[in-house]
C-alpha cells in the first residue's frame, strides 16, 4: 500500500486478496517549477495548502526511490550472488539451502530466467516436485521463449510424470534451439 504519507510492505503471498501496487501507475517525478519573480514566490504564502498536490509529489518521490538505477543495480548484484550461492549449495548437496537462495534471487530479480530454470532443475531432480518444476520452467520460458535449457528441463519433468507426448514436444523444441542433449533424449524415448 502507498499513499502520500506512508508505504506499507507485506511479505510475498501474505495477503493474496490485496492487489500489489504497480509502481508504474504512480505519478512520475517532474521538474520542480521555479518562480520567476518575487510576487509569484510571495503568493505561495497566501494560498491555501494543496494537500492533493503534496500527496502527488510524495508518491512521485516514492516511485523514483523504488525505481532508481542504483537500487536496480544493487538488486541485480544481490540476485546474482544468491544465484551463485544456490548453485554452490546444490553442488554440495544442500538442496533446501539452494532452494532458499534461488527464491531470494527470484524475489530480487523477478525476470531472472536462469534462476527459474535452475530452481526447476533442483525441484525435479532432487526434491521430486515435478509440478512446481514445470511451473518454474514455464516461467523461464515466459521470460525467454528461446531458452533451450528450460524446454529440456520441462520435457524431462513431463517425462518423469509419465507424459511422454508432452516431454517429446518440449525436447523437440529444445533440439530446434540447438540442444544436443535433447537430441539424445528424443532418440532414446521418442523415436519408437
Amino acid at each position: 500500500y502507498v499513499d502520500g504519507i506512508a508505504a506499507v510492505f507485506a511479505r510475498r503471498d501474505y495477503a493474496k486478496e490485496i492487489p500489489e501496487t504497480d509502481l508504474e501507475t504512480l505519478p512520475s517525478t517532474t521538474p520542480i517549477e521555479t518562480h520567476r519573480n518575487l510576487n509569484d514566490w510571495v503568493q505561495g504564502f497566501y494560498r491555501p495548502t494543496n494537500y492533493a498536490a503534496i500527496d502527488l509529489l510524495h508518491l512521485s518521490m516514492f516511485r523514483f526511490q523504488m525505481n532508481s538505477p542504483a537500487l536496480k543495480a544493487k538488486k541485480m548484484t544481490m540476485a546474482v550472488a544468491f544465484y551463485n550461492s544456490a548453485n554452490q549449495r546444490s553442488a554440495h548437496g544442500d538442496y533446501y539451502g539452494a532452494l532458499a537462495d534461488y527464491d531470494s534471487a527470484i524475489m530480487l530479480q523477478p525476470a531472472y530466467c536462469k534462476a527459474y530454470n535452475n530452481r526447476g532443475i533442483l525441484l525435479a531432480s532432487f526434491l521430486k516436485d515435478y509440478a512446481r518444476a514445470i511451473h518454474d520452467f514455464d516461467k523461464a520460458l515466459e521470460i525467454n521463449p528461446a531458452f533451450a535449457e528450460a524446454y529440456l528441463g520441462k520435457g524431462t519433468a513431463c517425462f518423469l510424470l509419465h507424459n511422454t507426448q508432452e516431454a517429446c514436444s518440449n525436447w523437440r523444441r529444445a533440439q530446434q534451439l540447438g540442444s544436443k542433449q535433447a537430441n539424445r533424449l528424443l532418440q532414446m524415448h521418442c523415436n519408437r
Side-chain angles (χ1 to χ4, degrees), residues 125-141:
S125 301
F126 301 107
L127 303 178
K128 310 301 183 211
D129 190 345
Y130 306 119
R132 273 183 64 202
I134 289 171
H135 179 269
D136 275 358
F137 294 128
D138 283 338
K139 187 65 179 173
L141 291 168

Side-chain angles (χ1 to χ4, degrees), residues 104-152:
S104 296
I106 290 167
M107 185 176 70
L108 288 165
Q109 206 54 247
Y112 202 162
C113 65
K114 286 184 176 183
Y116 280 106
N117 183 67
N118 284 20
R119 187 172 73 177
I121 292 169
L122 176 76
L123 288 166
S125 301
F126 301 107
L127 303 178
K128 310 301 183 211
D129 190 345
Y130 306 119
R132 273 183 64 202
I134 289 171
H135 179 269
D136 275 358
F137 294 128
D138 283 338
K139 187 65 179 173
L141 291 168
E142 179 184 313
I143 296 164
N144 181 1
F147 194 17
E149 289 181 40
Y151 282 108
L152 183 69

